[in-house]
Amino acid sequence: MLSAYHAKYFAYDLTRRTANGIDRLSMSLFDAAVDLNPHQIEAALFALESPLSKGVILADEVGLGKTIEAGIVLCQFWAERKRHLLVICPVSLRKQWALELGEKFNLPTQVLDAKAFRDVQRSGRAPLSEKTVLIMSFNYANAMRDELKTIAWDLVVMDEAHKLRNAYRPSNKIGQGIRWATEDCRKLLLTATPLQNSLLELFGLSTLIDEPICVSASRDSASARCASKSPSSSATPSDAPSPGRSRRGTTSTLYMRRCRHSFNGPTAMHFHNDSGT
């Protein structure tokens, strides 16, 4: 028979898991020790918007708190008892991620490398099944791709994701390995520079989330070129599908970027950029 204390605890836990929208986040962040800005809440809600989504790209400008936004999402997954959480980042940022998640969100973390992996194994535990947020580098994630593939990750966060913008190319071994290992998992990509030379770089990132998006956009682009070149085609340039419009329409469902100059103050509400620029 449940005691009054346990009955209250289970009621509290069920409330945390069944709330929706902003209330859903407020419950999961009850124990967090961080001052949140409205645009960070907006980004987290965007990432959590659809339970069927395969992932999103958060591309806010440097200094707007992408790590905090990802922390909010990780905190929500943890509150929902989804404990298979993985952060992949450059090797120099692993300790920073562990510190931020531990101090600001009270989440248990473990930086996993070859030595830590062996130490956990020696203790008789499965390193990738630890009930913590696992943090590893791009290189180590690629080296562990076969092991990562066996885990049904609830969420995979990739920081500095622009380093994987060429993951669709066979020559990019690290990108190919990480994409294969996490292809069936929900992903959250963080990057301040999603575009450096071409809009196609953004679609290179999108293949990490959902490869058919990029394939579909490429077909639309090819159709537009054929329609404009074929002498027998009745389609005018205005009738033909625009590759740019197709790409922007596709990316609006998985891509968010905000810039500093768009803010009027620390409490200003911010916009969702559907233009893909």
Side-chain angles (χ1 to χ4, degrees):
M1 184 174 180
L2 289 178
S3 66
Y5 169 81
H6 286 93
K8 185 176 181 180
Y9 170 80
F10 287 126
Y12 166 72
D13 189 54
L14 286 172
T15 301
R16 287 165 66 110
R17 284 187 278 171
T18 57
N20 294 312
I22 193 69
D23 292 330
R24 178 186 181 194
L25 284 183
S26 67
M27 294 298 176
S28 64
L29 293 171
F30 183 79
D31 300 321
V34 59
D35 294 326
L36 300 174
N37 291 316
H39 73 275
Q40 293 168 337
I41 295 292
E42 181 190 21
L45 290 174
F46 174 72
L48 294 165
E49 189 172 15
S50 171
L52 301 179
S53 170
K54 292 186 177 181
V56 297
I57 303 170
L58 299 183
D60 287 353
E61 201 172 32
V62 173
L64 294 182
K66 291 183 295 299
T67 302
I68 298 298
E69 294 165 1
I72 297 171
V73 178
L74 286 166
C75 201
Q76 176 60 38
F77 273 75
W78 189 269
E80 294 176 0
R81 305 284 182 178
K82 297 175 180 177
R83 302 296 164 84
H84 288 133
L85 304 173
L86 175 65
V87 175
I88 305 176
C89 63
V91 64
S92 60
L93 298 180
R94 295 175 304 169
K95 294 293 185 181
Q96 180 182 332
W97 266 96
L99 189 65
E100 295 259 342
L101 294 179
E103 289 187 350
K104 295 182 178 178
F105 296 98
N106 199 29
L107 290 173
T109 61
Q110 180 173 355
V111 176
L112 203 60
D113 55 19
K115 181 179 182 301
F117 189 91
R118 290 193 299 269
D119 290 343
V120 175
Q121 277 189 324
R122 288 194 193 102
S123 65
R125 307 194 311 272
L128 296 181
S129 298
E130 293 284 278
K131 300 303 181 183
T132 63
V133 180
L134 296 177
I135 303 169
M136 63 178 63
S137 68
F138 290 123
N139 286 326
Y140 190 64
N142 178 49
M144 294 287 293
R145 58 187 178 275
D146 292 330
E147 290 81 358
L148 294 178
K149 184 73 171 179
T150 64
I151 306 294
W153 300 101
D154 295 307
L155 181 68
V156 177
V157 177
M158 298 184 188
D159 195 14
E160 301 291 329
H162 54 271
K163 296 180 182 295
L164 301 175
R165 64 183 179 275
N166 294 322
Y168 62 94
R169 295 180 177 175
S171 59
N172 191 321
K173 301 301 183 183
I174 293 179
Q176 287 273 302
I178 293 175
R179 188 178 72 165
W180 174 78
T182 62
E183 62 183 351
D184 298 323
C185 310
R186 186 168 181 169
K187 287 174 281 291
L188 177 57
L189 274 56
L190 309 177
T191 174
T193 55
L195 302 175
Q196 294 180 352
N197 300 307
S198 167
L199 184 62
L200 289 176
E201 293 179 353
L202 178 59
F203 275 81
L205 288 176
S206 76
T207 62
L208 291 168
I209 297 174
D210 192 1
E211 186 172 5
I213 288 179
C214 192
V215 174
S216 176
S218 299
R219 287 174 179 168
D220 287 344
S221 178
S223 297
R225 289 195 297 270
C226 291
S228 63
K229 292 180 180 179
S230 173
S232 61
S233 173
S234 60
T236 64
S238 61
D239 295 327
S242 166
R245 285 200 303 269
S246 171
R247 290 169 184 158
R248 287 194 293 269
T250 304
T251 57
S252 67
T253 62
L254 57 81
Y255 173 67
M256 174 184 276
R257 178 172 175 83
R258 281 81 54 85
C259 300
R260 291 184 181 216
H261 63 73
S262 302
F263 300 109
N264 297 320
T267 59
M269 293 305 294
H270 311 300
F271 67 91
H272 170 197
N273 183 353
D274 284 334
S275 66
T277 59

